[in-house]
Amino acid sequence: MPLTSSLPCTLLLHGGSGRLHPAGTPFPQQTAYTDALTEAAQAGYAVLSKGGTSVEAVEASLRILEDSPLFNAGRGSVFSHAGVNEMDAALMDGATLRAGAVAGVRTVRNPISAARAVMERSSHVLLTGAGADEFAAEMGLATAAPEWFRVEARWQQWQALQQAEALAQAPSPSNLSTPKYGTVGAVALDQAGHLAAGTSTGGMLNKKYGRVGDSPLIGAGTYANHVCAVSGTGHGEFFIRHAVAHDIAALTEYRGLSVQQAAELVIHHKVAPAGGRGGVIVLDAQGNVAMPYSTEGMFWALVRADGRVETNICNMVIE
Ligand code: ASP
């Protein structure tokens, strides 16, 4: 049922950035990716069309992508060097600048819901590790055993990397040479004209020493205010150094750039020349969107006030 509101109620999702399959080779999971992104977009739209908030819509869509084994978030997260799934997520309410985030969680089934609980039910912004899992459990959020998060393809990917490291006999001190993408994110504009942004990820394959990426860091991988909402995906260390999400918001607010101009400037002219690859989705309070990326591809889905879902499923390998 399309909305009757004149406000440009909008929801935009990403399903990670990455490299493309070689031209001409089949992409067997294309339909599965399209279906998952469409389902997530429709879930967010269902919230917005009933007058729900942008925060609720972002959470509803990201929970679906977290529960899908296709993406590097929740179930399907990449493995750390220690062979465990450690997840990060953040959620920000642009209307109030309230924000919540978790990093390095292992047992909460939907890290984006834990991030929302931190925002709404604690006096903090970012909780980490076992404490964050404990908080989520105390808030009554669903937990899951390690087997829930473990997806065979991810496990094989991790084992192959362990073998390669063993053969080279010189493990790298970090995973920086083997970035793997597939994070999920959402930005939404509700009928009240309020924006929100959320991001959820398993982080980078083979990450060590409790590494935390940009996704749960407000201003780096996730940011929302009254002007625009931003969620990023890519090589997190670069997104942190360049404060990517806040930089885009600042360019739109202080310099009056469009979201397209601001996002392209940051992704293509600041982060990429420094060696950082990835992309962002950006939405402003008028419903304008931008989704630039410097990787070969980025999955996204967009749903407008009329309820029609548009997806971009390029011939990409989620790594
Ligand atoms: N940005 C995420 C991180 O560095 C990874 C990704 O986007 O896939 O943890």
Side-chain angles (χ1 to χ4, degrees):
M1 174 76 71
L3 286 176
T4 49
S5 162
S6 58
L7 277 165
C9 187
T10 305
L11 183 114
L12 176 60
L13 299 170
H14 72 72
S17 53
R19 73 179 166 84
L20 299 180
H21 264 280
T25 59
F27 178 34
Q29 287 176 303
Q30 189 153 348
T31 309
Y33 278 108
T34 306
D35 291 350
L37 284 169
T38 303
E39 187 191 345
Q42 285 169 339
Y45 178 78
V47 171
L48 296 174
S49 64
K50 289 186 200 114
T53 66
S54 50
V55 166
E56 290 165 344
V58 165
E59 183 193 12
S61 340
L62 293 186
R63 282 175 65 97
I64 286 175
L65 298 180
E66 286 179 339
D67 283 349
S68 164
L70 297 173
F71 301 93
N72 174 19
R75 185 171 179 225
S77 287
V78 295
F79 284 87
S80 72
H81 186 72
V84 293
N85 304 114
E86 286 178 347
M87 299 157 284
D88 304 335
L91 187 54
M92 185 160 189
D93 178 354
T96 59
L97 295 187
R98 289 190 309 163
V102 291
V105 290
R106 295 186 184 185
T107 62
V108 62
R109 173 170 159 161
N110 291 106
I112 194 66
S113 297
R116 184 174 174 195
V118 173
M119 176 172 86
E120 293 179 346
R121 299 164 71 188
S122 87
S123 54
H124 307 297
V125 171
L126 172 60
L127 301 181
T128 65
D133 275 319
E134 186 185 336
F135 169 78
E138 275 179 22
M139 293 299 113
L141 300 184
T143 57
E147 300 74 52
W148 165 258
F149 300 106
R150 179 189 153 137
V151 166
E152 191 54 29
R154 296 291 194 202
W155 180 250
Q156 298 297 340
Q157 181 188 50
W158 176 77
Q159 285 200 316
L161 196 64
Q162 299 310 301
Q163 282 162 11
E165 278 194 358
L167 281 176
Q169 290 185 327
S172 60
S174 75
N175 66 330
L176 294 185
S177 58
T178 55
K180 301 290 172 191
Y181 306 124
T183 293
V184 300
V187 289
L189 174 65
D190 61 28
Q191 293 190 47
H194 295 153
L195 292 157
T199 313
S200 182
T201 187
M204 303 278 265
L205 175 64
N206 213 31
K207 61 188 181 183
K208 293 177 181 171
Y209 312 122
R211 179 264 187 191
V212 173
D214 59 309
S215 309
L217 300 185
I218 298 304
T222 307
Y223 194 75
N225 60 17
H226 65 289
V227 178
C228 70
V230 186
S231 170
T233 171
H235 199 148
E237 279 66 14
F238 290 87
F239 279 57
I240 295 170
R241 291 185 196 120
H242 290 270
V244 163
H246 185 266
D247 210 29
I248 291 169
L251 286 166
T252 58
E253 185 175 6
Y254 304 144
R255 277 185 51 190
L257 298 193
S258 68
V259 287
Q260 188 72 40
Q261 290 168 328
E264 283 187 0
L265 197 161
V266 174
I267 291 299
H268 294 304
H269 300 289
K270 290 187 75 181
V271 180
R277 309 231 303 158
V280 284
I281 51 170
V282 191
L283 169 65
D284 72 15
Q286 286 70 49
N288 299 303
V289 295
M291 40 284 220
Y293 48 88
S294 58
T295 44
E296 291 172 58
M298 185 171 82
F299 289 157
W300 55 258
L302 173 66
V303 57
R304 295 280 195 185
D306 62 7
R308 266 180 305 176
V309 179
E310 186 189 343
T311 54
N312 176 57
I313 305 293
C314 42
N315 193 23
M316 192 176 81
V317 189
I318 282 280
E319 295 181 299

